[in-house]
Amino acid sequence: MTELTFFLDNEDDTIAVGQKLARHVQAPLTLYLTGDLGAGKTTLSRGLIQGLGHKGAVKSPTYTLVEPYELEGVEVYHFDLYRLNDPEELEFMGIRDYFTDNSLCIVEWPDKGEGLLPDADIHIHLSYQNSGREIHIKALSEPGKKLLAAIK
Ligand SMILES: Nc1ncnc2c1ncn2[C@@H]1O[C@H](COP(=O)(O)OP(=O)(O)OP(=O)(O)O)[C@@H](O)[C@H]1O
Ligand SMILES: [Mg+2]
């Protein structure tokens, strides 16, 4: 199985998907999160990062581009590339150094980094659907498929 689509009624449902991912995710892994402004990418990231044990807030690093979280057993890097003007800027921030054998990289707005960003293992797309959201999860690698099978 490489794709899965379902409906998320409210914010709690979106957080629950992140928490579920947290229970099964294994580094290294790269997760792309796409969808319109306000679709729920950061909400899902919050469920995932807090599910991995982070106690504080999770805000999108809109201006800093990346927020690191040192968690037990895994380094998490949460990217928001919305304000990236040119994918080349990723070279200047040393993008490759974040994608290590022990890191989970969550990337909002990955299309802004096209060409310089490592490929995703799993791609989650959120879209507005009435007052809720539709979530579409696509596995793009063997680790991605394993994760998708585990959460389904
Ligand atoms: N399944 C859902 N149904 C309805 N509302 C939701 C759902 N999931 C999240 N939301 C709400 O939608 C908003 C999503 O905001 P969020 O910051 O997560 O979006 P985003 O995709 O990260 O936006 P941006 O592109 O600006 O970073 C929040 O107000 C959240 O409460
Ligand atoms: Mg966001």
Side-chain angles (χ1 to χ4, degrees), residues 21-140:
L21 285 165
R23 285 198 288 277
H24 298 282
V25 75
Q26 276 181 349
L29 194 99
T30 299
L31 165 66
Y32 283 3
L33 279 172
T34 60
D36 289 344
L37 284 169
K41 302 179 292 296
T42 300
T43 304
L44 193 148
S45 302
R46 188 186 323 130
L48 173 51
I49 293 165
Q50 291 178 341
L52 288 169
H54 176 65
K55 301 288 181 222
V58 172
K59 289 194 214 115
S60 218
T62 308
Y63 294 94
T64 52
L65 297 179
V66 59
E67 184 69 30
Y69 297 88
E70 282 286 337
L71 302 174
E72 204 168 321
V74 62
E75 299 158 32
V76 176
Y77 297 108
H78 181 201
F79 294 86
D80 181 347
L81 304 184
Y82 187 68
R83 291 187 182 274
L84 198 71
N85 294 311
D86 185 332
E88 296 258 316
E89 286 174 37
L90 294 176
E91 299 263 35
F92 297 117
M93 69 187 281
I95 188 72
R96 265 171 231 100
D97 297 344
Y98 293 96
F99 292 76
T100 71
D101 285 348
N102 191 35
S103 67
L104 164 62
C105 289
I106 304 165
V107 190
E108 296 187 37
W109 295 100
D111 33 312
K112 301 267 184 179
E114 210 182 325
L116 283 174
L117 210 57
D119 290 338
D121 294 292
I122 204 157
H123 179 172
I124 296 183
H125 184 78
L126 292 153
S127 45
Y128 286 83
Q129 180 92 254
N130 304 317
S131 63
R133 306 288 187 268
E134 185 180 85
I135 183 169
H136 180 76
I137 309 178
K138 192 169 187 176
L140 300 162

